């Protein structure tokens, strides 16, 4: 197939009403996205992105919409307020049946009782500070829809009132004087930062004691056994949300750091299209691959927080000039009664060898997930999609890597003392050894891969079930994970959740949320919590 | 008589190590503060150099990658350059 052939050609006859109701992934020109990602590659060298439209033309998406508020929840049936989803809590607070301070106190009670075991937080405010902040939040569902929602950003998001150490000696004691844009947006919507989530050293691996290989954060499903990893690098937010020490959180993903821990802890997470959420005020790893991702307990909560965060930011040119965010909460609202349908007709592709995992139990869970999707009248399963040409070559090191990216930001830190980088030192030194020829080819290969993914993979399907995140992170394509069942970990004997990874074309967040919502309407794995520590 | 070029033998580990430490020294980065070899340490010189050698050797793989010099991404239409070339008014 020709690399210049594209599904983005305008068809001869366009059904305008169908297009207006279509999800964003089919309304946005894929050629335009390719062009934009190529510009981002160039922007690495110039340090800025020459926005194609003036900043003033960037569109703001809707604020949290009516669909964000749960319609069927009663406080009387809830014995522990932290088991409520964000959508349910928002609805009860709006109705006046749940006191916001009761919700905040319930979360702080759990943090104080259990975080000594989980070790999910790096730094956190006092209860009194949180309640004082709550007092100052406007009682206005439009301005402050997230009032009293207890949220956890990873410790690489700048916070003006809490340390931001990036899980590393490199930033030990660092106190920014402003909030990252994502944190600003959460707080502006009424959300409370109940703590900074511990993370892997400079956004790599699981959280550890700074400068050592001693693990800290525990998996919520294995609080008494450190061997079962919480996942990384967004370890703390994953554990905090899964263990009900926060209702939702934000992490960062350069190579699986949201989706990985999300799946290890039974969470529903989304890593949106590159640029969808501002990276301003986030400790950088790669200018071309870093993403902010949302970590929550179900598709609706994921959509709510994504809605709040998916805004243009003049401080991050990568977030400018994108199409306005659609109504994610609507996309994540199941409809169709007892047999909810995916909101749009959707072809779901299955990755080659998807059902050939070494763990046969995982294969069984995946088969069950696919069977459930097959029963959905809006879904067409496409077994064994074919991969784009030269897939292995384009997705493996060195062409599929990003060795030069982290080095550029850290030269002074490297000169100061390489020991501060601990086990992550090679990742930050390698760029010094990579030739310009290789770096150019890596960028060319990235653009070629993205082009082929759109013309040779997403011509077969609208969503693909896959087993890894690397090629999708590298090309800025959206990913989502959700739990599909439980398994027994062979090392620890613990019952642990298993999840799936779904990818969609650029701006396919609505599509992913719609599939997740339809599945979660007929399953309850996302509503199952781990037992508290003994 | 002109000598015919031959492909040099691949550098040895020792030759690459010398290149690596020289490169870091040039940039003012001291890697000798790391323990020479200590598997219990979060990082040591031995592991760092081993990783660095593999990165250098990967450069050969990248160099061998044959990308069509005429390859270009499909351009959105109308392309931004049409404003400069007045293509649309022709």
């Amino acid at each position: 197939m020709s690399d210049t052939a594209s599904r983005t050609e305008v068809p001869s006859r366009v059904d305008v009403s169908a297009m207006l109701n279509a999800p964003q992934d089919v309304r946005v020109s894929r050629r335009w996205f390719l062009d934009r990602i190529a510009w981002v590659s160039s922007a690495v060298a110039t340090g800025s992105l020459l926005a194609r439209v003036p900043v003033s033309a960037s569109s703001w998406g809707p604020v949290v919409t009516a669909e964000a508020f749960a319609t069927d929840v009663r406080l009387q049936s809830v014995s522990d307020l932290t088991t409520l989803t964000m959508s349910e809590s928002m609805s009860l607070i709006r109705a006046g049946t749940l006191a916001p301070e009761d919700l905040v106190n319930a979360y702080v009670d759990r943090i104080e009782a259990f975080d000594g075991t989980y070790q999910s937080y790096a730094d956190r405010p006092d209860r009194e500070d949180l309640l004082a902040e709550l007092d100052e939040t406007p009682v206005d569902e439009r301005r402050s829809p997230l009032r009293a929602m207890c949220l956890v950003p990873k410790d690489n998001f700048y916070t003006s009132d809490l340390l931001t150490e990036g899980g590393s000696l490199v930033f030990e004691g660092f106190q920014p004087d402003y909030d990252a844009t994502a944190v600003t947006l959460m707080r502006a919507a009424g959300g409370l930062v109940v703590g900074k989530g511990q993370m892997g050293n400079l956004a790599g691996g699981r959280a550890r004691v700074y400068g050592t290989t001693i693990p800290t954060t525990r998996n919520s499903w294995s609080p008494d056994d450190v061997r079962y990893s919480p996942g990384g690098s967004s370890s703390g937010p994953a554990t905090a949300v899964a263990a009900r020490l926060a209702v939702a959180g934000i992490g960062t993903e350069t190579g699986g750091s949201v989706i990985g821990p999300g799946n290890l802890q039974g969470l529903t997470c989304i890593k949106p299209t590159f640029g969808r959420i501002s990276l301003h005020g986030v400790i950088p790893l790669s200018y071309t691959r870093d993403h902010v991702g949302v970590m929550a307990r179900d598709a609706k909560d994921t959509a709510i927080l994504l809605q709040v965060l998916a805004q243009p930011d003049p401080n991050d040119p990568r977030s400018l000039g994108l199409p306005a965010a659609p109504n994610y909460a609507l996309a994540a609202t199941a409809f169709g009664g007892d047999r909810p349908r995916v909101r749009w007709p959707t072809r779901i592709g299955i990755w080659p060898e998807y059902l050939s995992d070494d763990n046969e139990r995982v294969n069984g869970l995946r088969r069950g997930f696919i069977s459930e999707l097959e029963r959905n009248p809006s879904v067409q399963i496409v077994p064994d999609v074919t991969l784009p040409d030269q897939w292995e070559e384009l997705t493996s090191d060195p062409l599929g890597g990003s060795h030069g990216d982290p080095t550029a930001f850290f030269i002074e830190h490297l000169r100061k003392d390489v020991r501060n980088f601990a086990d992550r030192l090679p990742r930050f030194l390698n760029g010094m050894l990579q030739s310009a020829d290789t770096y150019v080819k890596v960028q060319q290969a990235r653009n070629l891969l993205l082009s082929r993914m759109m013309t040779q993979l997403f011509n077969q399907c609208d969503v693909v079930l896959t087993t890894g995140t690397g090629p999708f992170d590298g090309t800025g394509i959206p990913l989502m994970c959700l739990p599909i069942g439980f398994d027994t970990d062979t090392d620890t004997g613990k019952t642990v959740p298993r999840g799936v990874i779904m990818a969609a074309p650029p701006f396919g967040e609505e599509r992913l949320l719609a599939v997740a919502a339809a599945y979660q309407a007929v399953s309850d794995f996302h509503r199952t919590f781990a037992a508290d520590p003994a | 008589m002109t000598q015919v070029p031959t492909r040099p033998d691949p550098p040895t580990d020792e030759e690459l190590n010398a290149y690596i430490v020289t490169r870091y020294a040039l940039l003012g980065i001291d890697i000798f503060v790391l323990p020479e070899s200590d598997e219990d340490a979060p990082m040591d010189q031995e592991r760092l150099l081993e990783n660095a050698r593999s990165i250098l050797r990967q450069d050969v793989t990248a160099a061998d990658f044959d990308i069509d010099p005429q390859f270009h991404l499909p351009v959105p239409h109308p392309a931004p350059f049409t404003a400069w070339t007045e293509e649309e008014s022709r």
Side-chain angles (χ1 to χ4, degrees), chain A residues 380-396:
Chain A
Q380 177 193 346
I381 297 293
V382 182
D384 286 333
V385 294
T386 55
L387 299 184
D389 298 341
Q390 293 180 289
W391 178 263
E392 286 300 325
E393 194 171 6
L394 292 172
T395 58
S396 307

Side-chain angles (χ1 to χ4, degrees), chain A residues 3-4 6 29 31-32 34-35 38-39 52 211-213 390 393-394 397-399 403 411 414-415 417-419 422-426 429-430 432-435 437-438 441 444-445 447-448 451, chain B residues 19-20 23-24 26-35 40-43 47-48 51-53 55-56 58-68 71-80:
Chain A
D3 284 319
T4 53
S6 170
S29 161
R31 282 192 180 183
W32 171 84
L34 265 174
D35 190 50
W39 282 50
R52 298 284 295 279
T212 78
T213 55
Q390 293 180 289
E393 194 171 6
L394 292 172
D397 280 342
L399 294 173
H403 294 304
I411 181 69
L414 289 164
R415 284 178 176 144
D417 193 337
V418 293
R419 287 172 294 193
D423 56 319
R424 295 276 284 159
L425 181 59
L429 270 179
N430 284 341
M432 305 292 184
L433 302 172
Q434 193 171 46
S435 70
D437 170 62
T438 294
K441 281 191 171 166
Q444 288 177 322
N447 292 331
L448 182 58
S451 174
Chain B
Y19 171 78
I20 292 160
R23 175 77 180 131
Y24 292 155
L26 177 68
L27 294 163
I29 296 168
D30 179 9
I31 67 165
F32 296 109
V33 293
L34 296 170
D40 293 329
M43 186 50 56
R47 275 178 281 164
L48 183 69
N51 186 284
R53 291 194 302 270
I55 292 298
L56 283 171
Q58 281 181 9
D59 253 15
V60 181
T61 309
D64 288 344
F65 179 63
D66 185 20
I67 192 161
D68 179 356
F71 165 72
H72 61 86
L73 296 172
V75 177
H77 184 81

